[in-house]
Amino acid sequence: MADMELTGAEIVVRCLRDEGVRHIFGYPGGAVLNIYDEIYKQKDFQHILVRHEQAAVHAADAYARCTGQVGVALVTSGPGATNAVTGIATAYMDSIPMVVITGQVPTAAIGQDAFQEVDTVGITRPCVKHNFLVKDVKELASTIKKAFYIAATGRPGPVVVDVPKDVTQHKCAYAYPKSVTMRSYNPTSKGHAGQIKKAAQMLLEAKRPILYTGGGVVLGNAAEQVTELARLLGYPVTNTLMGLGGYPSPDPLFLGMLGMHGTIEANMAMQHCDVLLAVGARFDDRVVGNPKHFAKEAHRIIHIDVDPSSISKRVRVDVPIVGEVGQVLDEIIKLIKAGKEKPDQQALKAWWAQIELWRSQDCLKYDRSAPVIKPQFVVEKLYEVTGGDAFVTSDVGQHQMWAAQYYKFAKPRRWINSGGLGTMGFGLPAAMGVQMAHPDATVACITGEGSIQMNIQELSTCKENKLPLKIILLNNGYLGMVRQWQEFFYEERYAESYMTSLPDFVKLAEAYGHVGMTIEKPEDVEPALRDAFGKYKDRLVFLNFLTDPRENVFPMIPAGKGLSEMILV
Amino acid sequence: MRHIISLLMENESGALSRVSGLFSARGYNIESLTVAPTEDATLSRMTIVTRGSDDVIEQITKQLNKLVDIVKVQDLTDGSHIERELMLVKVRASGEMREELKRMADIFRGHILDVSDKTYTIELTGPGTKLDAFLAAIDPAAILETVRTGASGIGRGDRVMKI
Ligand SMILES: Cc1ncc(C[n+]2csc(CCOP(=O)(O)OP(=O)(O)O)c2C)c(N)n1
């Protein structure tokens, strides 16, 4: 029946509906106007209009991070697509499931240097899990289905679907495929039983064990299993920056974050362990530093990851297990519970005594009696005032590390940051994505005055959508992390890391219709936060904390050095 | 170590650039790369000759497997295999050189495909080392032009790569 045929634009919208999408983030333009016209006519999902395409992609990305669902963004061709690239690369580096639909010039114009034409598939190829150019409307629905499937399965990642304008006009019959089979794409889901057995045995034989877990545990919804396994055995746990919340931080088995700005106890335990269980983590350079100096004593490594290429990439592994981390951990737990063997309690006691010795150095201490506001203090107070139950997004820099060190995340998907790409400008749009997904949740964005200015225009999007975010600006007047490196490694030559002419952030917030506050004294920190989360609960509050401009992030392991070359306060 | 990696991949536009892009982005080297559709027109077969330590080769095969368009990856060098490359060489063939070049072509089991009064165009197939040997055996001054396809490889005996 010819009247059952839909246009490509209608098909895009129907696919999103049939995929169960409830929110999409985007920005219109010529190549996607047909799609926007269909969005206008429907009520199945809400479109959030951002002020810059980068923000649309970050918001969709954070939406995915905090819900586990695939985030969706829609942008136009040319500059719309290039503006989206930073967001796509950010999601790619952190393995975030996302579908980005980009408009493209009509098929006949492709390759002609047409107005607003870029080779989107070519530009995004190195920073997507996969991408498609849809040349025929008959392939549109099946391609969108594939895009969602690829984005969400295996090691997740962003998928770009580039849709030429004429394809959005052409018509064909519509049917959304129920399932997808692709002969070229079959992600492994179940771990090898023999390897799992070996892993369980190795864990039981450990004398100085440690569990090292990363973003894969959060993405793979395996926090419960990690917690169960650690408690079953009484073994210590450390998380990567991406893995925070994968184990409840306030717990005594938790040693804190490891890596460049990790705790002494976590990094030392990594160095001196005899059995290392790595789960959904990839031994990256900010975590183990130089792999040549990694781990002092003879040790064996078990590595569970859904992506085979993450295994033995930087560090040789003894027991590799490819599979969904939750499923593999379930099996390991089952085996350990079924067997009679218990870990060597004597050895474990000695190991914990050693760990407590490292922990007693209290490496996250800072000067609490200072007359200026210490950034760490702000994060600690934020933790208290929000009852440890906020969604916290961050940008990139010192503030990000302080957020990671001092906000004790108890649940997965609460800590939303750009770990892999380290994208300044991520925090505010990310907070928007989280608040759209969880309208009633408490959402805070911890940021720096450098980072917040990279997507500050989104204060307008927040106003339009009445998003009651709390922006916690740790304003040290410097590109602080850059300044810290210059202090340590460039003999205090502070090249271009000091910004003058910062805006009056209070007035700026007010200009966008929000509440702004500047906080200058330590004793005002808590009352300001209480006001923000109490009196102004329903408003966006921009809290400009003037913090110690010279504070540094400790501990620190210089780039390329081994874990034991840590700089302390 | 030199490795020959065979791939079966979807015959889609862009698939080739995903493979070559992967090699350049990750700093892997490509000695040669050949690709053409198979008897099943929806599939292409690619042969890549590369060099690297065992760790690097392991990463290369894993990363290739990760590409969504790639159906199968096999390191041919893991077992016994056959490797062939085609070369076309245009040589200056005048005077007493003419006979000599004809003889060399015969020894290497080449075919002369095209003849002019001053040149021969010779076709040779074999493993890359044989083609190298031919070029080394003739007078370098006689070589006007060479074109090589890069190696294609296939497993020996029952070793079959199919889906
Ligand atoms: C888009 C982008 N450009 C540059 C950098 C490099 N960089 C990393 S941290 C940093 C300083 C961040 O300053 P600010 O946002 O004020 O945070 P602070 O370190 O002071 O807490 C810079 C410039 C980056 N990560 N991202």
Side-chain angles (χ1 to χ4, degrees):
Chain A
M1 276 197 303
D3 58 345
M4 289 297 287
E5 292 202 329
L6 302 185
T7 65
E10 288 172 306
I11 290 174
V12 169
V13 167
R14 290 282 286 272
C15 287
L16 295 178
R17 182 194 76 180
D18 291 347
E19 193 59 47
V21 171
R22 304 217 9 262
H23 297 95
I24 78 169
F25 300 85
Y27 205 94
V32 285
L33 281 182
N34 291 325
I35 300 175
Y36 271 89
D37 197 40
E38 293 308 323
I39 289 175
Y40 185 84
K41 296 176 195 160
Q42 58 81 49
K43 289 207 165 62
D44 297 308
F45 57 83
Q46 184 186 349
H47 176 276
I48 295 96
L49 174 69
V50 295
R51 302 298 182 260
H52 186 296
E53 288 88 350
Q54 183 187 347
V57 183
H58 287 329
D61 165 325
Y63 188 95
R65 290 182 201 237
C66 72
T67 61
Q69 294 157 19
V70 178
V72 183
L74 170 62
V75 300
T76 192
S77 68
T82 53
N83 272 350
V85 169
T86 301
I88 295 168
T90 302
Y92 180 65
M93 288 296 279
D94 290 343
S95 306
I96 304 305
M98 187 162 75
V99 170
V100 180
I101 299 174
T102 53
Q104 183 54 278
V105 300
T107 40
I110 291 178
Q112 313 280 316
D113 299 320
F115 177 62
Q116 296 195 326
E117 176 184 3
V118 292
D119 174 8
T120 301
V121 163
I123 288 177
T124 58
R125 186 179 304 119
C127 59
V128 292
K129 182 168 174 188
H130 198 60
N131 58 20
F132 297 94
L133 169 63
V134 183
K135 288 191 190 144
D136 184 343
V137 69
K138 289 195 205 70
E139 277 157 23
L140 189 54
S142 63
T143 304
I144 292 176
K145 178 76 195 178
K146 275 185 197 164
F148 276 91
Y149 171 65
I150 293 169
T153 50
R155 181 178 183 165
V159 178
V160 167
V161 183
D162 199 25
V163 188
K165 188 166 186 182
D166 55 330
V167 172
T168 66
Q169 280 153 343
H170 294 160
K171 286 186 162 186
C172 78
Y174 170 75
Y176 197 59
K178 289 221 161 44
S179 63
V180 196
T181 42
M182 293 173 71
R183 63 181 172 185
S184 63
Y185 177 73
N186 297 292
T188 320
S189 59
K190 284 185 79 172
H192 186 274
Q195 294 292 85
I196 289 174
K197 225 164 143 183
K198 259 197 230 166
Q201 190 55 36
M202 199 175 275
L203 280 172
L204 286 167
E205 286 164 7
K207 301 209 179 314
R208 299 183 311 278
I210 185 161
L211 274 56
Y212 147 60
T213 84
V217 165
V218 176
L219 292 167
N221 300 316
E224 246 173 68
Q225 287 91 330
V226 167
T227 309
E228 186 178 356
L229 181 64
R231 288 183 181 159
L232 180 66
L233 296 167
Y235 288 0
V237 184
T238 178
N239 287 163
T240 67
L241 177 67
M242 292 308 297
L244 291 173
Y247 189 86
S249 300
D251 190 274
L253 296 183
F254 189 63
L255 307 188
M257 180 172 75
L258 83 165
M260 181 175 268
H261 293 297
T263 64
I264 296 181
E265 52 273 29
N267 283 329
M268 293 301 273
M270 286 289 282
Q271 284 270 297
H272 295 277
C273 68
D274 73 335
V275 171
L276 170 58
L277 173 65
V279 190
R282 58 189 177 95
F283 296 89
D284 91 281
D285 55 307
R286 286 294 191 260
V287 166
V288 297
N290 188 334
K292 285 199 197 88
H293 308 308
F294 169 65
K296 283 263 180 298
E297 307 186 20
H299 62 278
R300 289 179 297 174
I301 301 180
I302 306 160
H303 191 177
I304 310 172
D305 205 291
V306 74
D307 177 5
S309 72
S310 281
I311 294 177
S312 293
K313 184 165 76 178
R314 299 192 76 242
V315 170
R316 270 273 140 205
V317 168
D318 303 278
V319 182
I321 307 177
V322 178
E324 300 275 357
V325 291
Q327 179 265 336
V328 174
L329 289 174
D330 276 336
E331 295 297 319
I332 292 178
I333 291 167
K334 231 190 275 168
L335 283 176
I336 292 177
K337 278 184 171 166
K340 291 197 180 60
E341 236 176 301
K342 293 268 166 308
D344 177 345
Q345 294 305 318
Q346 204 79 24
L348 197 55
K349 224 171 127 194
W351 178 229
W352 271 111
Q354 172 62 69
I355 291 173
E356 292 308 338
L357 216 59
W358 288 321
R359 180 140 60 186
S360 67
Q361 291 183 52
D362 191 12
C363 67
L364 294 181
K365 63 178 172 275
Y366 63 90
D367 181 4
R368 284 163 194 282
S369 57
V372 287
I373 300 177
K374 288 288 183 179
Q376 301 94 324
F377 178 70
V378 178
V379 180
E380 280 185 343
K381 284 291 156 199
L382 176 70
Y383 176 76
E384 277 176 38
V385 170
T386 57
D389 205 27
F391 286 85
V392 177
T393 73
S394 95
D395 273 294
V396 175
Q398 293 181 314
H399 61 273
Q400 175 190 25
M401 293 302 128
W402 288 316
Q405 291 173 329
Y406 295 90
Y407 199 99
K408 300 193 222 31
F409 294 94
K411 295 178 194 160
R413 301 192 182 278
R414 293 299 171 102
W415 166 235
I416 313 280
N417 84 129
S418 165
L421 197 66
T423 309
M424 289 170 69
F426 177 77
L428 175 55
M432 301 187 323
V434 174
Q435 192 81 75
M436 287 309 303
H438 302 292
D440 300 324
T442 303
V443 183
C445 165
I446 299 181
T447 185
E449 73 294 338
S451 295
I452 192 70
Q453 291 186 87
M454 285 212 178
N455 267 321
I456 193 123
Q457 75 287 346
E458 296 308 317
L459 287 174
S460 171
T461 312
C462 295
K463 178 68 185 165
E464 183 175 338
N465 293 281
K466 300 193 180 60
L467 302 179
L469 310 176
K470 306 296 176 263
I471 296 173
I472 313 294
L473 170 58
L474 303 179
N475 186 347
N476 52 14
Y478 281 98
L479 299 175
M481 190 56 96
V482 173
R483 192 205 58 79
Q484 176 168 347
W485 284 52
Q486 289 168 333
E487 179 183 334
F488 290 1
F489 312 119
Y490 295 88
E491 297 166 327
E492 303 186 37
R493 288 185 301 278
Y494 296 123
E496 307 297 323
S497 55
Y498 181 70
M499 271 183 191
T500 62
S501 311
L502 289 175
D504 177 334
F505 286 109
V506 172
K507 280 193 187 151
L508 183 81
E510 287 169 359
Y512 277 107
H514 302 303
V515 179
M517 308 176 182
T518 291
I519 304 94
E520 297 177 61
K521 291 199 235 70
E523 61 270 28
D524 295 336
V525 169
E526 187 172 337
L529 286 168
R530 295 222 176 268
D531 276 354
F533 289 96
K535 190 158 86 182
Y536 298 117
K537 187 172 175 299
D538 300 325
R539 301 285 303 275
L540 184 149
V541 186
F542 195 120
L543 296 113
N544 177 30
F545 292 98
L546 303 184
T547 59
D548 184 352
R550 296 259 148 184
E551 187 57 285
N552 288 320
V553 181
F554 294 115
M556 176 173 191
I557 302 164
K561 295 284 166 72
L563 288 180
S564 53
E565 288 157 275
M566 200 180 305
I567 307 175
L568 300 171
V569 196
Chain B
M1 253 272 282
R2 178 172 180 271
H3 286 254
I4 305 175
I5 293 169
S6 267
L7 308 177
L8 280 174
M9 57 193 211
E10 297 291 352
N11 189 7
E12 303 258 356
S13 70
L16 172 61
S17 50
R18 286 183 214 281
V19 174
S20 59
L22 170 72
F23 274 74
S24 61
R26 296 198 180 259
Y28 306 143
N29 77 59
I30 301 185
E31 233 162 66
S32 69
L33 182 159
T34 70
V35 62
T38 63
E39 76 285 1
D40 171 354
T42 66
L43 279 177
S44 287
R45 168 91 174 226
M46 185 184 278
T47 308
I48 303 171
V49 180
T50 181
R51 270 175 201 281
S53 63
D54 290 349
D55 286 351
V56 170
I57 299 296
E58 180 181 332
Q59 266 302 310
I60 290 178
T61 50
K62 284 178 173 174
Q63 294 292 346
L64 285 169
N65 264 312
K66 215 163 114 175
L67 292 179
V68 169
D69 282 336
I70 289 190
V71 185
K72 228 174 190 150
V73 180
Q74 194 179 56
D75 184 349
L76 282 180
T77 4
D78 279 348
S80 63
H81 62 279
I82 303 166
E83 170 193 348
R84 284 294 177 273
E85 182 175 358
L86 173 80
M87 173 167 72
L88 301 176
V89 202
K90 187 169 294 194
V91 289
R92 183 176 290 116
S94 49
E96 61 199 50
M97 283 298 287
R98 211 166 162 87
E99 235 345 85
E100 169 66 9
L101 283 163
K102 166 95 178 57
R103 213 171 31 245
M104 289 307 281
D106 287 343
I107 292 171
F108 280 83
R109 293 177 212 226
H111 302 283
I112 297 177
L113 300 181
D114 183 53
V115 177
S116 73
D117 48 358
K118 292 204 189 67
T119 67
Y120 282 152
T121 300
I122 305 168
E123 172 198 326
L124 276 160
T125 46
T129 47
K130 173 180 153 183
L131 309 187
D132 294 341
F134 176 77
L135 293 177
I138 62 176
D139 178 4
I143 303 173
L144 294 172
E145 194 178 342
T146 62
V147 50
R148 297 171 69 149
T149 58
S152 290
I154 196 164
R156 277 190 186 275
D158 296 339
R159 206 172 167 217
V160 172
M161 178 152 116
K162 230 181 155 45
I163 54 164

